[in-house]
Coordinates of all heavy atoms in Angstrom, one line a residue:
R10 N 0.8 -1.2 0.0 CA 0.0 0.0 0.0 C 0.9 1.2 0.0 O 2.0 1.2 0.4 CB -1.0 0.0 1.2 CG -0.3 0.1 2.6 CD -1.3 -0.1 3.7 NE -0.7 0.1 5.0 CZ -1.3 -0.2 6.1 NH1 -2.6 -0.6 6.1 NH2 -0.7 -0.1 7.3
Q11 N 0.3 2.3 -0.5 CA 1.0 3.6 -0.6 C 0.0 4.7 -0.3 O -1.0 4.9 -1.0 CB 1.6 3.8 -1.9 CG 2.5 5.0 -2.0 CD 3.4 5.0 -3.3 OE1 3.1 4.3 -4.2 NE2 4.5 5.7 -3.2
A12 N 0.3 5.5 0.8 CA -0.4 6.6 1.1 C 0.2 7.9 0.6 O 1.5 7.9 0.3 CB -0.5 6.8 2.7
P13 N -0.5 9.0 0.4 CA 0.1 10.2 -0.2 C 1.3 10.7 0.6 O 1.3 10.7 1.9 CB -1.0 11.2 -0.1 CG -2.3 10.4 -0.1 CD -1.9 9.1 0.6
G14 N 2.4 11.0 -0.1 CA 3.6 11.4 0.6 C 4.4 10.4 1.2 O 5.4 10.7 1.9
K15 N 4.0 9.1 1.1 CA 4.8 8.0 1.7 C 5.2 7.0 0.7 O 4.6 6.9 -0.4 CB 3.9 7.4 2.8 CG 3.5 8.3 3.9 CD 2.7 7.5 5.0 CE 3.5 6.6 5.7 NZ 2.8 5.9 6.8
E16 N 6.2 6.3 1.0 CA 6.7 5.2 0.1 C 5.8 4.0 0.2 O 5.1 3.8 1.2 CB 8.1 4.9 0.4 CG 8.4 4.1 1.7 CD 9.8 3.8 1.9 OE1 10.7 4.7 1.7 OE2 10.1 2.6 2.2
R17 N 5.8 3.2 -0.9 CA 5.0 2.0 -0.9 C 5.6 1.0 0.2 O 6.8 0.9 0.3 CB 5.1 1.4 -2.3 CG 4.1 0.3 -2.5 CD 4.0 -0.1 -4.0 NE 3.6 1.1 -4.8 CZ 3.4 1.0 -6.1 NH1 3.5 -0.1 -6.8 NH2 3.0 2.1 -6.8
E18 N 4.6 0.4 0.9 CA 5.1 -0.5 2.0 C 4.4 -1.8 1.9 O 3.2 -1.9 1.4 CB 4.8 0.2 3.3 CG 3.3 0.3 3.7 CD 3.1 0.9 5.1 OE1 4.0 1.1 5.8 OE2 1.9 1.0 5.4
F19 N 5.0 -2.8 2.4 CA 4.5 -4.2 2.5 C 3.3 -4.3 3.4 O 3.3 -3.7 4.5 CB 5.6 -5.1 2.9 CG 5.2 -6.5 3.3 CD1 4.8 -7.4 2.3 CD2 5.1 -6.9 4.6 CE1 4.4 -8.7 2.6 CE2 4.7 -8.2 4.9 CZ 4.4 -9.1 3.9
V20 N 2.3 -5.0 3.0 CA 1.2 -5.3 3.9 C 1.1 -6.8 4.2 O 1.0 -7.2 5.4 CB -0.1 -4.9 3.2 CG1 -1.3 -5.2 4.1 CG2 -0.1 -3.4 3.0
S21 N 1.1 -7.6 3.2 CA 0.9 -9.1 3.4 C 1.4 -9.8 2.2 O 1.5 -9.3 1.1 CB -0.6 -9.4 3.6 OG -0.8 -10.7 4.0
A22 N 1.7 -11.1 2.4 CA 2.2 -12.0 1.3 C 1.7 -13.4 1.5 O 1.5 -13.8 2.7 CB 3.7 -11.9 1.2
I23 N 1.7 -14.1 0.5 CA 1.2 -15.5 0.5 C 2.0 -16.4 -0.5 O 2.3 -15.9 -1.6 CB -0.3 -15.6 0.3 CG1 -0.8 -17.0 0.6 CG2 -0.7 -15.2 -1.1 CD1 -2.4 -17.1 0.7
S24 N 2.3 -17.6 -0.1 CA 3.1 -18.5 -1.0 C 2.2 -19.0 -2.1 O 0.9 -18.8 -2.0 CB 3.7 -19.6 -0.2 OG 2.6 -20.4 0.5
Q25 N 2.7 -19.7 -3.0 CA 2.0 -20.1 -4.2 C 0.8 -21.0 -3.8 O -0.3 -20.9 -4.3 CB 2.9 -20.9 -5.2 CG 2.2 -21.4 -6.4 CD 1.6 -22.7 -6.2 OE1 2.0 -23.6 -5.4 NE2 0.5 -23.0 -7.0
S26 N 1.1 -21.9 -2.9 CA 0.1 -22.9 -2.4 C -0.9 -22.3 -1.4 O -1.9 -22.9 -1.1 CB 0.7 -24.1 -1.9 OG 1.4 -23.9 -0.7
G27 N -0.5 -21.2 -0.8 CA -1.3 -20.6 0.3 C -0.9 -21.1 1.6 O -1.4 -20.7 2.6
G28 N 0.2 -22.0 1.7 CA 0.6 -22.6 2.9 C 1.3 -21.7 3.9 O 1.4 -22.0 5.1
R29 N 1.9 -20.6 3.4 CA 2.6 -19.7 4.2 C 2.1 -18.3 4.0 O 1.9 -17.9 2.8 CB 4.1 -19.7 3.8 CG 4.8 -21.0 4.3 CD 6.3 -21.0 3.8 NE 6.4 -21.2 2.4 CZ 7.1 -20.4 1.6 NH1 7.9 -19.5 2.1 NH2 7.2 -20.7 0.3
T30 N 1.9 -17.6 5.0 CA 1.4 -16.2 4.9 C 2.2 -15.3 5.8 O 2.8 -15.8 6.8 CB -0.1 -16.1 5.4 OG1 -0.3 -16.6 6.7 CG2 -1.0 -16.9 4.4
Y31 N 2.3 -14.0 5.5 CA 3.1 -13.1 6.2 C 2.3 -11.8 6.3 O 1.6 -11.4 5.4 CB 4.4 -12.8 5.4 CG 5.2 -14.1 5.2 CD1 4.9 -14.9 4.1 CD2 6.1 -14.6 6.1 CE1 5.6 -16.1 3.8 CE2 6.8 -15.7 5.9 CZ 6.6 -16.5 4.7 OH 7.2 -17.7 4.5
Y32 N 2.6 -11.0 7.4 CA 1.9 -9.8 7.6 C 2.8 -8.7 8.2 O 3.6 -9.0 9.0 CB 0.7 -10.0 8.5 CG -0.4 -10.9 8.0 CD1 -0.3 -12.3 8.3 CD2 -1.4 -10.5 7.2 CE1 -1.3 -13.2 7.9 CE2 -2.4 -11.3 6.7 CZ -2.3 -12.7 7.1 OH -3.2 -13.6 6.6
Q33 N 2.6 -7.5 7.8 CA 3.2 -6.4 8.5 C 2.6 -6.3 9.9 O 1.4 -6.6 10.1 CB 2.8 -5.1 7.7 CG 3.5 -3.8 8.3 CD 2.7 -2.6 7.9 OE1 2.0 -2.0 8.7 NE2 2.9 -2.1 6.7
E34 N 3.4 -5.9 10.9 CA 3.0 -6.0 12.3 C 1.7 -5.2 12.5 O 0.8 -5.6 13.3 CB 4.1 -5.4 13.2 CG 5.2 -6.4 13.4 CD 4.8 -7.6 14.2 OE1 3.9 -7.5 15.0 OE2 5.3 -8.7 14.0
S35 N 1.5 -4.1 11.9 CA 0.4 -3.2 12.1 C -0.9 -3.8 11.7 O -2.0 -3.3 12.1 CB 0.6 -1.8 11.5 OG 0.6 -1.9 10.1
V36 N -0.9 -4.8 10.8 CA -2.2 -5.4 10.3 C -2.4 -6.8 10.9 O -3.5 -7.3 10.6 CB -2.2 -5.4 8.8 CG1 -1.9 -4.0 8.2 CG2 -1.3 -6.4 8.2
K37 N -1.5 -7.3 11.6 CA -1.7 -8.6 12.2 C -2.9 -8.7 13.1 O -3.1 -7.8 13.9 CB -0.4 -9.1 13.0 CG 0.7 -9.5 12.1 CD 1.9 -9.9 13.0 CE 3.1 -10.4 12.1 NZ 4.2 -10.8 12.9
G38 N -3.7 -9.7 12.9 CA -4.9 -9.9 13.6 C -6.1 -9.2 13.0 O -7.2 -9.4 13.5
R39 N -5.8 -8.3 12.1 CA -6.9 -7.5 11.4 C -7.1 -7.9 10.0 O -8.2 -7.9 9.5 CB -6.7 -6.0 11.5 CG -6.6 -5.5 13.0 CD -6.5 -4.0 13.0 NE -5.4 -3.4 12.3 CZ -5.4 -2.6 11.3 NH1 -6.6 -2.3 10.8 NH2 -4.3 -2.2 10.7
F40 N -6.0 -8.2 9.3 CA -6.1 -8.5 7.9 C -5.8 -10.0 7.7 O -5.0 -10.6 8.4 CB -5.0 -7.7 7.1 CG -5.3 -6.3 7.0 CD1 -6.3 -5.6 7.7 CD2 -4.5 -5.5 6.1 CE1 -6.5 -4.3 7.6 CE2 -4.7 -4.1 6.0 CZ -5.7 -3.5 6.7
T41 N -6.4 -10.6 6.6 CA -6.2 -12.0 6.3 C -6.0 -12.1 4.8 O -6.8 -11.7 4.0 CB -7.3 -12.9 6.7 OG1 -7.6 -12.7 8.1 CG2 -7.0 -14.3 6.4
I42 N -4.9 -12.7 4.4 CA -4.6 -12.9 3.0 C -5.0 -14.3 2.6 O -4.7 -15.3 3.4 CB -3.1 -12.6 2.6 CG1 -2.9 -12.6 1.1 CG2 -2.2 -13.5 3.3 CD1 -1.6 -12.0 0.7
S43 N -5.5 -14.6 1.5 CA -5.8 -15.9 1.0 C -5.8 -15.9 -0.5 O -5.7 -14.9 -1.2 CB -7.2 -16.3 1.5 OG -8.2 -15.5 1.0
R44 N -5.8 -17.1 -1.1 CA -5.8 -17.2 -2.5 C -6.6 -18.4 -3.0 O -6.7 -19.4 -2.3 CB -4.4 -17.3 -3.1 CG -3.6 -18.5 -2.8 CD -2.1 -18.4 -3.2 NE -2.0 -18.1 -4.6 CZ -0.8 -17.6 -5.1 NH1 0.2 -17.4 -4.3 NH2 -0.8 -17.4 -6.4
D45 N -7.2 -18.3 -4.2 CA -7.9 -19.4 -4.8 C -7.3 -19.5 -6.2 O -7.6 -18.8 -7.1 CB -9.4 -19.1 -4.9 CG -10.2 -20.2 -5.5 OD1 -9.6 -21.1 -6.1 OD2 -11.4 -20.2 -5.4
N46 N -6.3 -20.4 -6.3 CA -5.6 -20.6 -7.6 C -6.5 -21.1 -8.7 O -6.2 -20.9 -9.9 CB -4.4 -21.5 -7.4 CG -3.3 -20.8 -6.7 OD1 -3.2 -19.6 -6.6 ND2 -2.4 -21.6 -6.2
S47 N -7.6 -21.7 -8.4 CA -8.5 -22.2 -9.4 C -9.2 -21.0 -10.1 O -9.7 -21.1 -11.2 CB -9.6 -23.1 -8.9 OG -10.5 -22.4 -8.0
K48 N -9.2 -19.8 -9.4 CA -9.8 -18.6 -9.9 C -8.7 -17.6 -10.2 O -9.1 -16.5 -10.6 CB -10.8 -18.0 -8.9 CG -12.0 -18.9 -8.7 CD -12.9 -18.3 -7.7 CE -14.1 -19.1 -7.4 NZ -15.1 -18.5 -6.4
A49 N -7.5 -18.0 -10.1 CA -6.3 -17.0 -10.3 C -6.6 -15.7 -9.5 O -6.3 -14.7 -10.1 CB -6.2 -16.8 -11.8
T50 N -7.0 -15.9 -8.3 CA -7.4 -14.7 -7.5 C -6.7 -14.7 -6.1 O -6.7 -15.8 -5.5 CB -8.9 -14.6 -7.4 OG1 -9.5 -14.5 -8.7 CG2 -9.3 -13.3 -6.6
V51 N -6.3 -13.6 -5.6 CA -5.8 -13.4 -4.3 C -6.7 -12.4 -3.6 O -7.2 -11.4 -4.2 CB -4.3 -12.9 -4.3 CG1 -3.8 -12.7 -2.9 CG2 -3.4 -13.9 -5.0
Y52 N -6.9 -12.6 -2.3 CA -7.8 -11.8 -1.5 C -7.1 -11.2 -0.3 O -6.1 -11.7 0.2 CB -9.0 -12.6 -1.0 CG -9.8 -13.3 -2.1 CD1 -9.5 -14.6 -2.4 CD2 -10.8 -12.7 -2.8 CE1 -10.2 -15.3 -3.3 CE2 -11.5 -13.3 -3.7 CZ -11.2 -14.7 -4.0 OH -11.9 -15.3 -5.0

């Protein structure tokens, strides 16, 4: 994500299979990343 006047920053990431997920500390417990490869979509 990138807010006005700020550099782009990491929020979350997910491995190809969805087996591993990662979050920026400020969003842990609030955001959830997931993916559905059958739909070629990440949420």
Side-chain angles (χ1 to χ4, degrees):
R10 66 188 181 188
Q11 187 167 20
K15 301 181 68 177
E16 69 180 50
R17 194 167 299 184
E18 67 176 1
F19 169 75
V20 177
S21 185
I23 189 167
S24 61
Q25 182 274 331
S26 67
R29 290 175 289 134
T30 59
Y31 306 86
Y32 299 93
Q33 184 202 104
E34 284 294 328
S35 69
V36 308
K37 285 183 178 178
R39 299 190 298 119
F40 291 10
T41 304
I42 190 170
S43 62
R44 68 190 300 165
D45 184 346
N46 285 342
S47 70
K48 298 179 180 180
T50 302
V51 179
Y52 305 95

